[in-house]
Amino acid sequence: MTDPGQRARRGQGELEALVLSVLREADGPATAGWVRERLGDDLAYTTVITILTRLLGKGAVTRERVGRSFAWTPASDQAGLAARKMRKVLDAESDRGAVLASFVTGLGPDEEQLLRDLLDQAQDEGED
């Protein structure tokens, strides 16, 4: 049982998602201090820096030097991040065909049609 005065620990993925969400709300590159303020939480500045650095390593954010610190920007939107995760999973498997087949068989009819349309569109663009 946890002490009522103690906060439940959040998972790394949850904090990363929160930080990315805050960065997407920014009008441009944002500092770690700005991100920390917007989170409205009592996270330590060093924790925010750690999360941003992990996101940088994953290619989810970029940074640029501003004075003595950095300003951070999301590298892509939510769909782009999800696609990057999917690619990482696919790249880690030796039998890519089996992974893709398993994925496709789990799609509903509407999703399957959307995938077919997107593949047709990509093929048409490749022929131009």
Side-chain angles (χ1 to χ4, degrees):
M1 179 181 252
T2 60
D3 178 356
Q6 227 179 2
R7 268 188 322 145
R9 276 187 74 127
R10 285 184 275 210
Q12 174 183 327
E14 184 181 350
L15 285 172
E16 288 177 358
L18 285 170
V19 167
L20 281 171
S21 176
V22 166
L23 279 176
R24 278 191 212 97
E25 295 170 5
D27 291 333
T31 65
W34 185 91
V35 170
R36 183 173 177 246
E37 285 177 19
R38 296 313 180 281
L39 287 172
D41 203 355
D42 57 345
L43 287 178
Y45 179 81
T46 54
T47 301
V48 174
I49 291 291
T50 298
I51 294 164
L52 288 165
T53 303
R54 285 182 183 154
L55 289 168
L56 180 67
K58 294 177 180 183
V61 299
T62 60
R63 70 180 182 187
E64 60 186 70
R65 174 87 50 195
V66 177
R68 292 177 43 199
S69 62
F70 291 101
W72 306 81
T73 307
S76 61
D77 60 9
Q78 194 66 28
L81 292 173
R84 185 174 290 128
K85 288 178 188 176
M86 293 167 66
R87 170 63 67 186
K88 187 175 180 180
V89 168
L90 188 60
D91 289 346
E93 295 298 323
S94 59
D95 190 350
R96 296 167 70 100
V99 173
L100 288 170
S102 181
F103 176 75
V104 170
T105 58
L107 296 176
D110 291 343
E111 294 166 325
E112 185 177 335
Q113 185 58 53
L114 176 59
L115 181 57
R116 288 179 191 281
D117 294 344
L118 291 169
L119 289 169
D120 289 343
Q121 179 182 345
Q123 185 175 3
D124 291 346
E125 290 173 4
E127 292 173 358
D128 291 341

